[in-house]
Amino acid sequence: MTILLTGGTGYIGSHTAAVLVEAGYEVVLLDNLSNSRPEVLERLRQVTGRTLPFVEADVRDRPKLAAVLREYGCTAVIHFAGLKAVGESVRQPLAYFDNNVGGTLALLQAMQEAGVATIVFSSSATVYGEPQYLPLDEAHPTSAANPYGRTKLHIEEMLSDLCRAEPAWRAACLRYFNPAGAHPSGLIGEDPNGVPNNLMPYITKVASGELPSLGIFGNDYPTPDGTGVRDYIHVMDVAAGHVAALSFLQREAGWHAINLGTGRGYSVLEMLRAFEQACDHAIAHEFKARRPGDIASCYANPAKAASVLGWRATRGIEEMCESAWRWCRASKGATRSP
Ligand code: NAD
Ligand code: WQD
């Protein structure tokens, strides 16, 4: 099977490419390099021992997408390509609808033209909005708290309508919780442009001395230590979940929403302490006001993935921190924080 990975040189796409190759799949990476660098391709060659086909293109280019699907004989698509910064989506909602929803529409039309009807979509736990209960299972009501989350919800609904209209379609919407960590080789990892929004890459930059201190957004939440609790999941476990989803879709048509989480929440302070263990030095931090839009706690009920995919996360926060630190030292050269 040949799988097209849109957004394939990005954080989760590149790790999934490595795991798919190891599982015996042929992959084609497509990316417009708006949030990743071509250097990833050489690192993937070192990791996989293969030069993976790469197409620099935008998913909104429907004719190009149809041509690529045909040229490589793709049988399925994993759709990672998208903008993912919540704050940016609030400031630039049209850019997010154009890129994420418009891009997905063009991709689906290209797939229809090329006769490809299997897709795994990078959705997000953000579609659950403010949790009404925890842990979150797939039956939890969905809602959008920001334009980014609304794009994910709209795409899930587009896929649901398509699968209902055309029974040959197979779609798995994988609702990622909080991916973190890096490939064990230290050759690929999260490499965000600019100052990171997310906790783990921010902590990593403080640990390496690139940023002076971590601001902890609120320590007055109704959580064990007052800081936000999230379901951090190793990116290699997320990648493995995609392999399991592809196998599942070979057996099951229709539309499916499936959580990719560990079922265990960790607080900001717990992640900070775990990272200090991994890098063997203290990480400067100070408490700040809550970040607007943040929720206190969010973690998955991972039972459906276990039952329908036969998949569970196997790596803990120690491995997430160790692998992120290894990647940081290998890619940037770490200096002890002041
Ligand atoms: P990323 O930014 O590292 O990867 C996304 C890739 O898509 C980038 O390489 C970017 O250049 C590419 N891209 C963006 N728009 C494109 C377009 N129009 N055409 C072609 N390529 C385009 O992000 P990531 O963390 O790897 O996330 C991958 C997917 O998973 C995204 O859809 C994101 O919304 C989703 N997701 C991420 C997280 C997370 O915390 N990282 C959580 C839940 C869901
Ligand atoms: C985690 C915790 C913060 C940074 C976001 C998106 C979600 C998904 C994953 C795409 C929270 C705290 C963070 C910092 C901090 N992305 N924090 N200081 O907000 O759970 O989810 O990324 O789909 O859609 O909403 O992840 O890493 O930003 O925050 O204290 O500098 O760390 O308050 O409690 P979040 P995050």
Side-chain angles (χ1 to χ4, degrees):
M1 280 184 74
T2 301
I3 316 297
L4 177 66
L5 275 61
T6 73
T9 53
Y11 172 44
I12 302 174
S14 57
H15 287 77
T16 304
V19 173
L20 281 171
V21 169
E22 188 181 334
Y25 286 89
E26 297 295 326
V27 300
V28 179
L29 310 184
L30 182 144
D31 204 296
N32 70 357
L33 300 177
S34 60
N35 199 35
S36 54
R37 292 179 249 271
E39 291 83 344
V40 171
L41 297 166
E42 169 52 26
R43 294 197 220 114
L44 276 172
R45 189 193 61 75
Q46 295 172 45
V47 167
T48 65
R50 306 257 308 275
T51 298
L52 304 181
F54 171 67
V55 178
E56 184 175 354
D58 194 298
V59 289
R60 289 165 289 190
D61 184 347
R62 174 176 154 186
K64 178 71 173 175
L65 264 289
V68 167
L69 288 164
R70 289 195 186 96
E71 179 186 350
Y72 289 93
C74 297
T75 49
V77 173
I78 305 182
H79 183 32
F80 296 104
L83 301 176
K84 61 163 184 173
V86 169
E88 183 182 58
S89 79
V90 172
R91 296 189 295 275
Q92 303 174 33
L94 295 185
Y96 273 67
F97 279 98
D98 177 50
N99 197 77
N100 294 3
V101 180
T104 305
L105 176 59
L107 170 66
L108 294 174
Q109 289 170 325
M111 288 174 69
Q112 207 168 39
E113 286 168 30
V116 180
T118 300
I119 183 168
V120 177
F121 168 58
S122 298
S123 191
S124 166
T126 206
V127 301
Y128 292 121
E130 177 81 27
Q132 295 173 20
Y133 57 81
L134 288 170
L136 293 166
D137 61 16
E138 291 81 354
H140 186 283
T142 55
S143 66
N146 52 68
Y148 166 72
R150 208 173 327 280
T151 67
K152 291 300 182 183
L153 213 41
H154 283 348
I155 293 166
E156 286 200 4
E157 289 163 352
M158 280 164 58
L159 290 169
S160 175
D161 287 343
L162 177 57
C163 290
R164 200 174 293 115
E166 299 185 23
W169 275 82
R170 299 150 189 266
C173 300
L174 301 184
R175 294 172 175 168
Y176 310 159
F177 279 68
N178 290 66
H183 192 274
S185 67
L187 288 168
I188 55 176
E190 192 165 13
D191 191 13
N193 294 338
V195 177
N197 297 303
N198 294 136
L199 179 67
M200 181 62 105
Y202 202 105
I203 288 180
T204 307
K205 285 185 180 281
V206 176
S208 68
E210 293 175 74
L211 288 171
S213 173
L214 168 71
I216 297 179
F217 301 143
N219 64 336
D220 58 351
Y221 283 106
T223 61
D225 63 20
T227 62
V229 169
R230 296 291 184 275
D231 187 331
Y232 298 96
I233 177 169
H234 200 295
V235 66
M236 294 302 285
D237 281 327
V238 173
H242 289 74
V243 177
L246 283 173
S247 302
F248 168 71
L249 290 180
Q250 286 172 47
R251 304 189 301 272
E252 290 286 336
W255 183 91
H256 310 272
I258 303 170
N259 287 341
L260 290 192
T262 68
R264 169 79 162 86
Y266 286 96
S267 74
V268 177
L269 281 174
E270 286 177 307
M271 287 301 281
L272 183 69
R273 300 301 175 221
F275 210 100
E276 289 180 332
Q277 287 297 313
C279 68
D280 194 24
H281 63 265
I283 294 173
H285 61 278
E286 71 266 351
F287 294 108
K288 294 190 167 180
R290 292 183 178 188
R291 178 171 64 177
D294 270 359
I295 56 180
S297 295
C298 176
Y299 50 93
N301 178 335
K304 182 174 179 183
S307 65
V308 304
L309 300 184
W311 168 94
R312 282 187 183 282
T314 61
R315 300 165 176 90
I317 62 170
E318 295 79 12
E319 199 167 342
M320 290 177 221
C321 295
E322 286 159 8
S323 59
W325 183 233
R326 189 178 308 122
W327 152 246
C328 177
R329 280 178 297 159
S331 62
K332 298 179 177 68
T335 56
R336 284 187 65 83
S337 56

